[in-house]
């Protein structure tokens, strides 16, 4: 079993430098996401991909979605605005961006309300040490939303930066960005601060509107900072991060071509119902301004090489700024200016411990509690019937002076606990058996129990075989619960059972092959907004997905590398 190292923070200096590692050594990169403590990728009881800082630099990845685009099994729909990219693990379409858990240094980053604004320019990679991507469910450790996969961004520490780094650039569509990172370590004190500013006019989709202007991003920013003090057995960290991404609504909805006197886009779209996608009435076509704020304090205690304990308090705020709005028509003649806003917060505490019973036995356990003050769907507003006439008095725009009604919210509590045991043996060379389980009790959906079993066999230094089974759950979000006004219903969590085999083989120092085979069985899938009056039908959906993923990593020399990947999926489902 590997020696213990502080969970999630990865205080080992320069644990990876790709230019010094062979492809065989890459199987031994240290990761924390699969088990909550540092271990080799080959030992981890999960199918995992690691994208290192060196790969981020070499391949020119700027934003998170750039890196995910090269990962097999992850599909994306880029709508150049609201969201702004829909990310799907292993063919699990629908529930946009709700079936994956996004974390930064082990702290969840998903929107508390349940909207699908994940990724985009807010997640610039200039301060990221590595990205750990776990395929398959990890609810046995992380609970809600660790459903189809987990993305964990591990940020650089002050010692990795050592000074100040500045970068600025310009590109097509009037794009500009500026990035800064500052960090240092002296004695036991360490700090880092990084920031990013991004703007673009975005591409122009003339097939929707010759004057299309809905793909803009206007001064999106993010800041990430932490200061820590390390004593003999303790590490105390105070950190924060915040981001705001003011942007257009992009192409996620139809264009109101009938209103503008333009030809319909085709594909049975008459252009009667749609969202304005050009500058209108003296302002931008629309504005969506999602924000995220996180503040945490973390105490790590490591009295010996065998035991480590971490306690953490977290406060988060997520939502959509009250400056957001959208122009929409439902009849092709009258344009409505609608206000958009939401605000939710979470107070969370967790306690985790890792104990190496012996060189071949490892025990992990943890407890967490969080309370969400979550808005009841999108903020309601008044309706202003006053009319402004346009186009020779034929078309109209209304609701120009709407105001928000008071915020309404629910208080939801969640208690969770997990335990994980790993036994290493000499069976068939080197075989580890891992069993994990987690129990969650939520004040809305009730109880959820999620086990995980994994067998990891390494008959040689070149070959690793992993057999895995796990379950996970995705709770209904408040947006889903309140999507239909006055819905007197109760949604159950979605559930998934996953069966998986993973093979990794080092062909030589210049070639490494990874092949994954999986079977996902989704039950109680939430399906809202059917054709009979937009009435939710609770949880009628059922989806089965079988697939294969393969990756071939190549290293021609220390400066020239490449990769090939292939994905095959066979999904079927019914509502």
């Amino acid at each position: 079993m590997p020696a213990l190292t502080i969970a999630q923070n990865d205080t080992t200096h320069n644990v990876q430098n790709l230019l010094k590692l062979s492809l065989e050594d890459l199987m031994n990169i240290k990761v924390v996401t699969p088990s909550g403590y540092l271990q080799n990728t080959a030992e981890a009881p999960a199918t995992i991909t690691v994208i290192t800082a060196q790969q981020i630099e070499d391949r020119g990845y700027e934003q998170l979605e750039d890196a995910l685009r090269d990962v097999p099994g992850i599909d994306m729909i880029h709508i150049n605005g609201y969201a702004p990219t829909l990310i799907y693990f292993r063919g699990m379409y629908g529930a946009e961006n709700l079936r994956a858990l996004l974390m930064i240094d082990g702290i969840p980053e998903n929107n508390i309300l349940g909207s699908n604004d994940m990724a985009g320019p807010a997640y610039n990679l200039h301060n990221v040490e590595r990205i750990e991507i776990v395929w398959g469910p990890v609810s046995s450790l992380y609970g809600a939303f660790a459903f189809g996969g987990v993305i964990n961004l591990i940020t650089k520490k002050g010692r990795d930066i050592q000074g100040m780094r500045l970068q600025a650039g310009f590109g097509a569509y009037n794009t500009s960005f500026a990035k800064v990172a500052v960090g240092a370590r002296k004695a036991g004190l360490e700090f880092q601060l990084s920031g990013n500013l991004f703007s673009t006019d975005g591409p122009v989709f003339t097939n929707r509107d010759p004057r299309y202007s809905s793909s803009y991003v206007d001064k999106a920013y993010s800041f990430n900072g932490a200061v820590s003090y390390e004593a003999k057995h303790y590490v105390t960290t105070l950190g924060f991060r915040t981001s705001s991404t003011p942007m257009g609504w992009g192409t996620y909805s139809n264009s109101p071509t009938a209103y503008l006197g333009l030809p319909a886009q085709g594909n049975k779209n008459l252009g009667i119902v749609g969202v304005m996608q050009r500058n209108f009435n003296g302002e931008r076509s629309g504005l969506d301004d999602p924000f995220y704020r996180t503040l945490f304090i973390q105490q790590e205690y490591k009295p010996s090489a065998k035991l480590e304990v971490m306690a953490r308090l977290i406060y988060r705020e997520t939502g959509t700024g009250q400056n957001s709005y959208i122009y929409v028509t439902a009849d092709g003649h009258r344009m409505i200016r609608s206000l958009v806003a939401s605000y939710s917060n979470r107070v969370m505490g967790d306690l985790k411990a890792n104990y190496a019973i012996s060189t071949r036995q490892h025990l992990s356990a943890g407890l967490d509690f969080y309370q969400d003050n979550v808005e009841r769907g999108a903020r309601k507003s008044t309706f202003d019937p006053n009319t402004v006439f346009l186009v020779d008095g034929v078309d109209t725009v209304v609701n120009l002076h709407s105001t928000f009604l008071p915020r309404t919210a629910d208080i939801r509590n969640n208690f969770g606990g997990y335990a994980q045991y790993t036994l290493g043996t000499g069976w068939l060379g080197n075989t580890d058996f891992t069993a994990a389980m987690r129990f969650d009790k939520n004040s809305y959906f009730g109880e959820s129990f999620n086990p995980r079993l994994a067998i990891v066999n390494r008959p040689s230094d070149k070959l690793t075989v992993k057999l895995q089974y796990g379950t996970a759950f995705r709770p209904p979000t408040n947006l889903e619960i309140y999507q239909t006004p006055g819905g007197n219903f109760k949604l159950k969590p979605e559930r998934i059972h996953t069966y998986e085999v993973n093979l990794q083989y080092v062909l030589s120092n210049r070639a490494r092959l990874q092949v994954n085979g999986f079977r996902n069985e989704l039950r109680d899938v939430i399906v809202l907004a059917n054709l009979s009056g937009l009435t939710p039908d609770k949880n009628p959906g059922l989806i089965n997905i079988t697939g294969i993923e393969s990756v071939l990593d190549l290293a021609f020399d220390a400066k020239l590398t490449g990769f090939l990947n292939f994905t095959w999926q066979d999904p079927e489902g019914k509502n």
Side-chain angles (χ1 to χ4, degrees), residues 4-71:
L4 290 177
T5 309
I6 299 298
Q8 299 295 355
N9 257 8
D10 184 13
T11 54
T12 304
H13 180 49
N14 287 334
V15 295
Q16 57 213 8
N17 183 335
L18 187 63
L19 293 180
K20 296 180 181 179
L21 294 178
S22 68
L23 289 176
E24 185 173 358
D25 293 331
L26 287 177
M27 295 177 66
N28 297 315
I29 288 179
K30 300 288 186 179
V31 294
V32 298
T33 309
S35 295
Y37 60 89
L38 273 178
Q39 60 185 164
N40 297 338
T41 55
E43 298 171 335
T47 301
I48 185 168
T49 287
V50 180
I51 302 174
T52 67
Q54 189 65 50
Q55 288 172 316
I56 291 171
E57 181 178 347
D58 291 345
R59 299 176 183 179
Y61 298 145
E62 290 288 333
Q63 301 172 10
L64 174 59
E65 60 197 41
D66 297 333
L68 298 181
R69 191 173 288 115
D70 287 341
V71 178

Side-chain angles (χ1 to χ4, degrees), residues 281-294:
N281 198 33
E283 60 182 348
R284 297 270 201 177
S285 56
L287 172 65
D288 179 50
D289 187 8
F291 62 84
Y292 293 74
R293 305 176 189 125
T294 299

Side-chain angles (χ1 to χ4, degrees), residues 208-393:
R208 288 177 168 263
D209 190 328
R211 292 160 55 189
Y212 178 93
S213 62
S214 192
S215 294
Y216 73 91
V217 178
D218 186 18
K219 298 181 179 64
Y221 68 83
S222 64
F223 290 97
N224 186 307
V227 58
S228 62
Y229 180 75
E230 183 175 354
K232 184 177 181 180
H233 297 296
Y234 297 90
V235 178
T236 304
T237 303
L238 177 65
F240 78 97
R241 56 179 178 265
T242 181
S243 68
S244 173
T245 311
M247 58 186 171
W249 290 83
T251 62
Y252 92 103
S253 182
N254 295 328
S255 297
T257 52
Y259 184 92
L260 301 172
L262 298 172
Q265 293 175 237
N267 195 27
K268 298 182 180 181
N269 171 25
L270 301 179
I272 295 174
V273 178
V275 169
M276 186 62 69
Q277 297 179 353
R278 66 164 67 173
N279 291 351
F280 182 72
N281 198 33
E283 60 182 348
R284 297 270 201 177
S285 56
L287 172 65
D288 179 50
D289 187 8
F291 62 84
Y292 293 74
R293 305 176 189 125
T294 299
L295 178 68
F296 69 91
I297 183 169
Q298 180 173 289
Q299 181 69 59
E300 299 163 88
Y301 173 56
K302 189 176 181 181
S304 68
K306 289 188 173 184
L307 176 65
E308 62 176 5
V309 181
M310 182 185 73
R312 186 165 53 191
L313 292 175
I314 304 167
Y315 176 74
R316 298 191 62 224
E317 296 179 336
T318 67
T320 302
Q322 295 190 41
N323 57 332
S324 303
Y325 65 91
I326 191 170
Y327 281 98
V328 62
T329 180
D331 58 12
H333 297 285
R334 184 180 66 165
M335 193 63 60
I336 304 171
R337 189 183 191 275
S338 299
L339 299 178
V340 181
S342 68
Y343 170 82
S344 302
N345 64 54
R346 170 177 294 178
V347 178
M348 179 177 181
D350 60 8
L351 176 66
K352 301 178 181 180
N354 294 305
Y355 181 66
I357 302 171
S358 67
T359 57
R360 288 185 174 271
Q361 297 183 77
H362 189 278
L363 180 64
S364 301
L367 297 172
D368 61 65
F369 172 82
Y370 61 83
Q371 182 177 86
D372 289 346
N373 183 321
V374 57
E375 189 147 5
R376 294 184 176 180
R379 186 86 44 87
K380 293 180 174 59
S381 60
T382 62
F383 184 78
D384 172 25
N386 292 329
T387 299
V388 175
F389 291 94
L390 301 174
V391 194
D392 298 326

Side-chain angles (χ1 to χ4, degrees), residues 398-460:
V398 300
N399 208 36
L400 289 176
H401 302 290
S402 175
T403 58
F404 285 111
L405 294 173
R407 175 181 178 268
T408 59
D410 295 317
I411 303 297
R412 305 204 192 281
N413 298 315
N414 193 95
F415 168 81
Y418 76 89
Q420 177 176 275
Y421 173 73
T422 299
L423 173 65
T425 72
W427 184 62
L428 295 179
N430 188 347
T431 302
D432 292 346
F433 297 87
T434 298
M437 57 183 178
R438 179 182 171 100
F439 174 79
D440 284 88
K441 185 175 181 61
N442 186 276
S443 58
Y444 176 79
F445 64 78
E447 300 175 352
S448 181
F449 176 75
N450 294 278
R452 176 172 69 159
L453 299 172
I455 301 174
V456 180
N457 172 244
R458 297 194 69 184
S460 69

